Amino acid sequence: MAESTIQHQPLAGWDKPNLDLSDAEWQSSSRGLGDVQIAFVEGFIAMRNSGRPESPSLIFTPAEWGAFVSGAREGEFDLT
């Protein structure tokens, strides 16, 4: 597979560091189901697609993560 030539630039107002995730300890759900993994790195929460670990990860602050988890528990992201 050819390497991507796309340059990833931070978004305007981006206030999160460029975290080194190479040694992150990725965790799957307690049941091992799904494609999402998370890692706790330098006070942030990283989330990635386990099927494509080379893809960019989403980075959350603790407050953003709390809001995301609360929304997921309340069905905010249900598509059905």
Side-chain angles (χ1 to χ4, degrees):
M1 179 180 275
E3 277 190 47
S4 173
T5 58
I6 297 172
Q7 295 285 329
H8 294 283
Q9 298 295 323
L11 299 173
W14 182 257
D15 60 350
K16 296 172 190 159
N18 186 14
L19 298 176
D20 179 5
L21 302 175
S22 60
D23 291 327
E25 293 184 27
W26 294 97
Q27 304 171 32
S28 295
S29 69
S30 59
R31 295 183 187 142
L33 303 172
D35 294 326
V36 175
Q37 293 178 315
I38 63 168
F40 299 93
V41 180
E42 298 179 31
F44 293 87
I45 298 88
M47 184 168 66
R48 73 177 184 183
N49 178 340
S50 64
R52 298 187 63 206
E54 71 283 354
S55 295
S57 297
L58 297 174
I59 307 298
F60 296 88
T61 65
E64 291 168 334
W65 182 251
F68 173 75
V69 170
S70 292
R73 286 181 179 151
E74 293 171 6
E76 182 176 341
F77 309 112
D78 290 351
L79 301 176
T80 58

